[in-house]
Amino acid sequence: MLGRVSISLEVLVYSLVMALRLLIVYSAFILYNFALDPDRALSLFAGLFPRSTLLVALASKSIPYLGQQVRRVAEIQQTRGIQYHNGGFLRRIRNRIPLLKVVFLSSLEDSFNVGESIQARAYGSGTRTRYAALSFKLPDFLVLAASFAAGLAMAWGYIKNFGSLQFFPVISGRFFSGEILVAGSFILISLLVPVAVIWGAKKWHYFM
Amino acid sequence: MALFHVENLNYFYPEEGARALENVSLQIFEGEFLFLAGPSGSGKSTLLRALSGLLPDYYGGSIGGEIRYRQRSLADWQKGELAREIGLIFQNPEQQSVMTRVEQEIAFGLENLGVAPKEMRRRVAEVLALFDLNPVRQEAVFNLSGGQKQKVILAAILAMHPRVLLLDEPTSQLDPVAAQDFLNYVQRLNQEWGITVLLVEQRVDRCFHLADRVVMMDGGRIVSQAGPRETVRGVGRQYPLYIPPVSRVFSGLDIPEVPLTIKEGREILRKIAGNPRTFCPSPVPDSPTAAERGGGVILECRSLEFAYPGNPPCLRKVDVTLKEGSITVLLGENGAGKSTLLKNINGLLSPRKGRVCHKGRDITRMKVEERAALTGYMSQNPDDYLFNDSVFTEIGYGLDLPKGEKEERVGRLLRLLDLEHAREKNPRDLSGGEKQRVALGVVLAPDPEVLLLDEPTRGMDAVLKKKLGALLAALKGEGKAILVVTHDVEFAAEIACRVLIMSAGEIIASGEKREVLSSSLYYSPQANRLFKGVCPWVMTVEDALSLLHREEGEREGEAG
């Protein structure tokens, strides 16, 4: 029906590289979430932008609660005889609208109460202090320095056009040379420093 | 010197015609424990909010009269200063938490007050120790139990070193064990740290005797403010549901001192009961009639077994039989498997082994959506049912009936549920009790023969509970087979025909109400504990009153 589909090596490599890029973007977000504790982010920025920081903090805090609520309401809708899994696409979507309405209405009502509680706990009443005392120590310096070095090496490689790929019409680029190998190893080693620091911190408690 | 001076306080919520507070005058002294009692909507919560300075700033509306705190008008206090002095705790801990982790949640208020980091660390460490929260200090608040969440909020407020604690039904979302735990902490804070406490609570029997003064409110006004005993003597007859059940039992009798606790009550009972054999007539006056035992079997569960994936079994060989026109109550601690059992019956979960039969027909594999017409299920949170613009469309939603028939059925439900006045109102704007009745209407609309209710009395006051009990009795009269899951032993004693007790996934006791509850140590209602060893069939205050007044009648008869 489709006739002969021709897949060239170029297309294959191109799509693989694109998939890899997407994966890197995802990982960056996941790593960011792991690296920055939302509570710390709040205490860090609350002094600078109290309103927006609080908004972000409450939004991220509410996500697990929302998930719980969606599951609960979906169950109730089912016990009311509403079909979620049967019927056409449009029908299933239509059947889910009440679910969104319930969750939306309830979170609006909740937010009013949260606001009241925050006011009763003196948010925004004056200058804030911070509970989590963040100080700059040797491991922080090591991680920062190594990241900076890796960044420099990457910039240098970019200028020298290392590892740049042309996919079409035929794959071409500079992959293998002594310089690339050196730069690549340097970047790899630099990026391993933070991993080593974390490993060290787990092993020797007084390191941090 | 009084801490709070309230003079002629009046308050209107925005866009409301009626006054929420009417000429309220009150003095509160340092170190006092004040218990605010009275019906729902009588202005207790509004008064707490007014004292905390949230009225009218946060709510709008108009306020009249004056509140002075430490000789200064509340309006003259700075927000931060006031928050440092006065701590406010509400019903739902989830709506009061801001941060992700326990430790940070506790520090939040201190950060806002600008407490120095060193001092902050000390205070956080102290309250963590005081409330036994050290094991969970790094946990996410989300993952804690309801009781622990509320304890974290109390710890967070306490770390701010307030002089006054205002508590608005802080235990209404908790189970009885966690609630008692919480109230014990509040009592200690008052007794050992001298913190002034104002408490609004539905669990009258747990709080009344703790208070130095009871303030009874009704319709936005203070109708009485006196010590607990004086309150019982003064307005106990007028507000029988807002005094402890023990006091209610004895309040009509000619005794010098009305008791407040079971211990005091038993003392008095020993004196007036004399010989238990003559005091307590047997057999039980109203042993269940054939009709009360229920008619034919509507729903039957046989050897149900269930386990959540990767977890040990949480239902083990559970047998339940629900008969036409009967109310069965299922009691048990948290995590015993009560809600799981309900979900196995309504089809949200499907059992690993065993069968669920409806009138002899096996429905174990029937889909949850198809079971809606057979088994009505009401969950704990009525808000989860409400999304339409009027009560009428909400109850009629999804009913596949011709227009006339639909009108008729919904109309009949509105009458039954006493909601005719709210027919065109938005269900979200109704009071808590009304919302729950709308949710019940939604569940009743397809006319199911079986009704499954999960914790229907959570957060309800005594009057609403009475109303719900009467409603369930009416539904029983219509022939419904009703299964109620609850923690509320008093409610169970009022409404049940049969009682089941569940523990670790097993039904460990089942039988008629009096048989199961009177032989239980933990699940016995207050009136039953009072009459233990004297007259074991007494379950409710009404039972006790009928017994005592029969005695009195006899004595009077002898004297005459």
Side-chain angles (χ1 to χ4, degrees):
Chain A
M1 271 187 297
L2 285 169
R4 239 179 90 185
V5 181
S6 60
I7 300 173
S8 64
L9 180 67
E10 281 73 24
V11 170
L12 199 68
V13 172
Y14 182 71
S15 50
L16 280 178
V17 170
M18 286 301 138
L20 192 68
R21 275 190 188 169
L22 204 62
L23 214 64
I24 290 172
V25 172
Y26 276 139
S27 331
F29 271 100
I30 292 169
L31 287 176
Y32 170 79
N33 255 331
F34 270 114
L36 198 62
D37 182 308
D39 285 350
R40 285 191 170 190
L42 177 76
S43 25
L44 208 59
F45 297 119
L48 298 172
F49 330 99
R51 282 166 194 239
S52 10
T53 309
L54 189 67
L55 196 70
V56 172
L58 286 177
S60 62
K61 190 215 73 163
S62 67
I63 286 168
Y65 288 102
L66 273 179
Q68 203 177 41
Q69 200 181 14
V70 167
R71 274 194 295 278
R72 216 174 58 210
V73 178
E75 282 187 355
I76 285 165
Q77 300 282 338
Q78 279 178 290
T79 63
R80 284 177 81 167
I82 294 166
Q83 306 267 352
Y84 271 164
H85 308 294
N86 302 344
F89 182 67
L90 279 178
R91 191 189 168 82
R92 275 185 293 171
I93 292 203
R94 214 174 38 235
N95 282 344
R96 275 163 213 244
I97 290 173
L99 174 80
L100 292 180
K101 272 184 167 172
V102 175
V103 173
F104 188 60
L105 285 169
S106 295
S107 18
L108 270 181
E109 286 171 6
D110 283 359
S111 61
F112 188 77
N113 296 330
V114 173
E116 193 179 18
S117 166
I118 287 169
Q119 183 162 10
R121 280 161 78 186
Y123 192 76
S125 67
T127 17
R128 285 185 109 241
T129 43
R130 268 188 296 218
Y131 179 67
L134 305 175
S135 58
F136 206 79
K137 289 183 190 158
L138 178 68
D140 300 301
F141 174 77
L142 287 177
V143 169
L144 204 67
S147 313
F148 194 66
L152 273 184
M154 283 180 207
W156 182 67
Y158 182 76
I159 293 167
K160 300 273 285 181
N161 240 355
F162 288 163
S164 81
L165 276 179
Q166 259 93 47
F167 296 99
F168 304 108
V170 280
I171 295 179
S172 61
R174 290 180 65 194
F175 296 119
F176 307 106
S177 76
E179 271 180 318
I180 291 181
L181 207 64
V182 170
S185 324
F186 182 75
I187 292 171
L188 188 70
I189 292 170
S190 310
L191 290 181
L192 279 174
V193 170
V195 179
V197 166
I198 290 169
W199 176 78
K202 276 190 185 151
K203 192 126 177 144
W204 299 290
H205 291 292
Y206 294 103
F207 187 49
M208 285 293 245
Chain B
M1 204 41 104
L3 202 58
F4 275 107
H5 258 284
V6 183
E7 253 166 75
N8 282 323
L9 186 65
N10 282 285
Y11 178 72
F12 291 87
Y13 278 103
E15 296 167 39
E16 295 264 335
R19 262 187 281 197
L21 292 175
E22 201 176 331
N23 295 327
V24 169
S25 294
L26 181 69
Q27 289 194 10
I28 301 161
F29 297 91
E30 181 114 45
E32 252 194 317
F33 192 129
L34 234 67
F35 180 54
L36 297 181
S40 297
S42 61
K44 304 180 300 267
S45 302
T46 310
L47 180 58
L48 284 195
R49 282 171 171 78
L51 293 175
S52 72
L54 283 172
L55 293 184
D57 283 12
Y58 191 75
Y59 282 85
S62 51
I63 198 162
E66 196 181 28
I67 306 173
R68 282 200 306 278
Y69 175 71
R70 296 176 67 194
Q71 317 307 326
R72 251 163 80 196
S73 171
L74 215 52
D76 296 340
W77 281 81
Q78 282 205 322
K79 287 270 137 42
E81 273 182 275
L82 210 55
R84 189 194 305 265
E85 298 270 328
I86 302 170
L88 185 57
I89 292 179
F90 307 101
Q91 296 188 9
N92 193 342
E94 285 169 15
Q95 293 170 356
Q96 300 169 72
S97 105
V98 189
M99 308 295 274
T100 312
R101 261 171 255 286
V102 170
E103 208 178 351
Q104 284 286 346
E105 182 69 50
I106 293 173
F108 176 73
L110 301 175
E111 293 179 322
N112 294 338
L113 292 178
V115 174
K118 210 174 154 198
E119 167 76 4
M120 190 149 43
R121 301 211 149 259
R122 204 195 78 201
R123 289 203 201 174
V124 171
E126 277 179 358
V127 293
L128 282 171
L130 176 64
F131 291 96
D132 201 15
L133 290 167
N134 258 318
V136 295
R137 64 191 294 169
Q138 287 296 334
E139 298 268 321
V141 178
F142 173 76
N143 291 327
L144 302 182
S145 71
Q148 270 181 320
K149 277 183 195 153
Q150 194 66 302
K151 228 158 73 171
V152 170
I153 301 298
L154 180 61
I157 298 289
L158 201 71
M160 295 164 82
H161 288 187
R163 278 176 194 246
V164 186
L165 265 183
L166 308 174
L167 303 151
D168 190 7
E169 299 191 19
T171 71
S172 71
Q173 307 294 312
L174 311 183
D175 67 81
V177 178
Q180 187 61 56
D181 190 40
F182 186 86
L183 291 172
N184 289 344
Y185 275 113
V186 172
Q187 189 189 6
R188 261 180 77 193
L189 294 179
N190 173 252
Q191 290 185 341
E192 295 176 26
W193 280 269
I195 293 175
T196 310
V197 172
L198 267 84
L199 175 67
V200 175
E201 232 332 308
Q202 304 299 353
R203 299 173 204 255
V204 179
D205 55 321
R206 304 267 173 223
C207 310
F208 213 81
H209 60 281
L210 303 179
D212 297 310
R213 207 146 43 107
V214 177
V215 175
M216 189 71 80
M217 292 190 72
D218 195 0
R221 272 184 290 195
I222 293 181
V223 290
S224 123
Q225 42 175 316
R229 269 176 232 283
E230 292 73 42
T231 305
V232 168
R233 251 197 311 260
V235 292
R237 274 172 188 263
Q238 216 178 326
Y239 299 97
L241 294 175
Y242 300 102
I243 62 171
V246 180
S247 312
R248 191 143 56 96
V249 167
F250 292 100
S251 64
L253 297 178
D254 181 24
I255 44 172
E257 195 80 311
V258 182
L260 295 177
T261 61
I262 299 206
K263 190 171 172 174
E264 293 171 3
R266 289 182 65 87
E267 194 102 347
I268 294 170
L269 200 57
R270 253 197 301 279
K271 282 182 202 141
I272 57 174
N275 184 353
R277 245 183 239 168
T278 52
F279 181 73
C280 180
S282 60
V284 183
D286 64 336
S287 61
T289 58
E292 272 177 341
R293 282 170 210 234
V297 173
I298 302 280
L299 191 115
E300 204 175 12
C301 301
R302 282 282 154 264
S303 309
L304 281 192
E305 298 205 12
F306 179 81
Y308 289 98
N311 282 299
C314 61
L315 293 183
R316 302 161 199 263
K317 291 209 178 291
V318 171
D319 292 324
V320 178
T321 305
L322 302 180
K323 291 181 177 173
E324 188 184 343
S326 73
I327 299 178
T328 308
V329 171
L330 178 60
L331 297 166
E333 80 265 43
N334 274 348
K338 305 186 299 289
S339 297
T340 307
L341 175 59
L342 286 196
K343 288 183 180 176
N344 270 276
I345 297 177
N346 69 18
L348 279 173
L349 297 174
S350 77
R352 293 274 174 94
K353 281 184 191 162
R355 281 185 306 153
V356 181
C357 295
H358 177 261
K359 288 185 166 170
R361 177 172 145 229
D362 191 340
I363 58 166
T364 319
R365 300 288 154 219
M366 190 191 259
K367 279 202 186 122
V368 50
E369 298 92 349
E370 290 159 20
R371 280 194 225 188
L374 305 178
T375 57
Y377 166 73
M378 191 171 79
S379 80
Q380 297 179 9
N381 191 351
D383 281 345
D384 289 351
Y385 288 82
L386 312 176
F387 60 91
N388 282 296
D389 297 335
S390 78
V391 171
F392 184 84
T393 45
E394 188 66 74
I395 292 179
Y397 181 80
L399 264 191
D400 203 8
L401 290 175
K403 196 164 177 259
E405 240 174 275
K406 191 165 165 176
E407 288 259 336
E408 206 243 75
R409 185 177 294 183
V410 178
R412 192 180 64 82
L413 283 172
L414 290 177
R415 276 193 299 284
L416 176 75
L417 299 164
D418 190 21
L419 284 171
E420 278 170 304
H421 62 281
R423 186 188 165 102
E424 295 307 326
K425 282 193 191 164
N426 188 320
R428 291 261 168 182
D429 293 339
L430 302 177
S431 73
E434 286 172 325
K435 274 187 197 174
Q436 198 200 35
R437 294 209 295 281
V438 176
L440 193 55
V442 168
V443 172
L444 288 169
D447 204 20
E449 287 168 287
V450 180
L451 210 51
L452 309 169
L453 309 175
D454 198 354
E455 291 283 354
T457 62
R458 200 164 80 150
M460 283 190 144
D461 81 345
V463 171
L464 289 176
K465 274 190 214 173
K466 276 258 176 239
K467 226 173 168 174
L468 180 68
L471 191 56
L472 293 183
L475 291 169
K476 180 176 87 167
E478 288 185 7
K480 305 267 185 232
I482 304 172
L483 178 62
V484 181
V485 163
T486 184
H487 281 297
D488 190 332
V489 180
E490 309 293 327
F491 186 65
E494 295 274 348
I495 64 158
C497 310
R498 287 175 61 77
V499 172
L500 310 173
I501 299 178
M502 208 168 174
S503 172
E506 269 179 285
I507 305 269
I508 52 164
S510 91
E512 257 142 34
K513 164 176 87 180
R514 290 185 205 280
E515 183 191 327
V516 175
L517 292 184
S518 67
S519 61
S520 166
L521 183 67
Y522 184 68
Y523 297 105
S524 54
Q526 206 181 15
N528 182 256
R529 269 177 278 153
L530 179 63
F531 280 81
K532 195 149 253 173
V534 179
C535 196
W537 56 257
V538 171
M539 285 291 136
T540 60
V541 173
E542 279 67 33
D543 287 350
L545 286 175
S546 76
L547 176 74
L548 288 173
H549 289 286
R550 182 191 58 88
E551 276 288 307
E552 222 172 40
E554 276 173 18
R555 247 180 283 152
E556 271 165 26
E558 278 165 30

